[in-house]
């Protein structure tokens, strides 16, 4: 059984290696083409043309290895472009920083900004159900719950039992949506990002 599996696995691994070699070759050719354009800012069209040009330079056998069909450019390019892009990001990252969109506005990768909020209150309890849930009672005598998913600033206060019921704390959190299989809806949870002992 193991031998049969290995005999099956060897050609699969060999094909994966061949694909990677071809993708690296196309990426290198595309990087060269983009650099030779000699412009400070490339458009997406310029980059697309460089990819097409590079795909036309490689052999028919290499095109088959990566599944690119010149007669069906649109359909097959979609499959290979992502892999070419990954290799290009490693070979010539400066090309990506020089790409501008068609309307001339520079594209920027902006991380979605999550704004942390905070609540001050009296520590009530830390319970464990599906998540570790921290409960405090705030100044308006309202119970507030926060979930502990990942490490955060101040988590050692709970790990080392430095906080006890009645201590004043400030909990910093971000709102996250998680799917609740019981209600079959997304619910908003307050995920802890930091806790300070007041």
């Amino acid at each position: 059984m193991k031998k049969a599996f290995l005999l099956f696995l060897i050609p699969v691994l060999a094909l994966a290696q061949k694909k990677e070699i071809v993708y690296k070759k196309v990426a290198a050719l595309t990087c060269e083409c983009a650099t030779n354009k000699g412009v400070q800012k490339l458009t997406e069209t310029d980059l697309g043309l460089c990819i097409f040009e590079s795909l036309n330079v490689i052999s028919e056998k290499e095109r088959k290895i990566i599944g690119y069909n010149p007669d069906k450019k649109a359909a097959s390019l979609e499959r290979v472009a992502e892999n070419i892009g990954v290799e290009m990001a490693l070979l010539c990252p400066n090309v990506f920083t020089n790409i501008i969109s068609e309307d001339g506005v520079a594209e920027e990768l902006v991380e979605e900004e999550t704004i942390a909020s905070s609540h001050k209150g009296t520590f009530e309890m830390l319970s464990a159900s599906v998540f570790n849930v921290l409960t405090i009672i705030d100044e308006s005598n309202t119970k507030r719950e926060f979930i502990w998913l990942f490490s955060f600033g101040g988590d050692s206060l709970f790990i080392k039992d430095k906080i006890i019921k009645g201590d004043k704390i400030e909990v910093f959190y971000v709102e996250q949506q998680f799917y609740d299989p019981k209600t079959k809806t997304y619910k908003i949870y307050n995920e802890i990002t930091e806790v300070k002992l007041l």
Side-chain angles (χ1 to χ4, degrees):
M1 181 70 181
K2 285 183 182 176
K3 285 182 182 177
F5 178 70
L6 285 173
L7 288 172
F8 169 75
L9 192 61
I10 290 168
V12 171
L13 291 173
L15 179 63
Q17 276 186 321
K18 285 179 184 176
K19 278 187 176 182
E20 189 178 346
I21 290 166
V22 176
Y23 283 130
K24 282 183 177 174
K25 181 177 180 178
V26 175
L29 290 166
T30 307
C31 287
E32 189 181 330
C33 170
T35 307
N36 289 342
K37 292 257 179 222
V39 290
Q40 284 203 315
K41 294 289 180 186
L42 289 169
T43 64
E44 291 168 356
T45 305
D46 291 332
L47 187 61
L49 290 171
C50 279
I51 291 173
F52 276 123
E53 196 177 300
S54 302
L55 286 166
N56 287 332
V57 170
I58 62 173
S59 70
E60 195 173 321
K61 185 181 175 185
E62 289 172 321
R63 285 189 210 125
K64 280 184 182 174
I65 289 171
I66 61 172
Y68 175 70
N69 184 346
D71 298 326
K72 296 178 182 175
K73 284 184 175 75
S76 56
L77 182 66
E78 198 174 311
R79 285 196 305 265
V80 299
E82 188 178 332
N83 292 312
I84 294 167
V86 169
E87 295 297 338
M88 285 181 67
L90 299 170
L91 287 172
C92 54
N94 57 319
V95 169
F96 288 105
T97 57
N98 290 338
I99 295 175
I100 58 170
S101 61
E102 298 305 315
D103 59 3
V105 179
E107 289 184 352
E108 291 178 17
L109 298 172
V110 180
E111 259 185 48
E112 193 176 310
E113 208 171 296
T114 51
I115 299 165
S117 304
S118 75
H119 278 296
K120 293 179 182 177
T122 306
F123 174 64
E124 182 67 17
M125 66 176 166
L126 184 64
S127 59
S129 55
V130 178
F131 306 113
N132 279 335
V133 178
L134 169 67
T135 306
I136 65 169
I137 298 173
D138 69 11
E139 293 156 355
S140 62
N141 213 27
T142 305
K143 275 191 179 184
R144 303 218 179 255
E145 292 185 337
F146 308 89
I147 60 169
W148 177 354
L149 295 178
F150 305 103
S151 62
F152 58 86
D155 60 2
S156 61
L157 295 169
F158 295 103
I159 295 167
K160 295 177 181 176
D161 295 322
K162 300 267 183 177
I163 294 179
I164 58 170
K165 186 174 179 175
D167 282 343
K168 300 282 185 197
I169 60 172
E170 183 172 9
V171 182
F172 295 84
Y173 65 94
V174 291
E175 290 184 347
Q176 301 280 16
Q177 277 193 347
F178 296 112
Y179 183 73
D180 183 352
K182 289 178 186 171
T183 61
K184 295 187 177 178
T185 58
Y186 283 92
K187 285 174 67 176
I188 293 176
Y189 292 89
N190 297 326
E191 182 195 339
I192 303 169
T193 57
E194 186 180 3
V195 170
K196 288 182 179 174
L197 190 57
L198 301 176

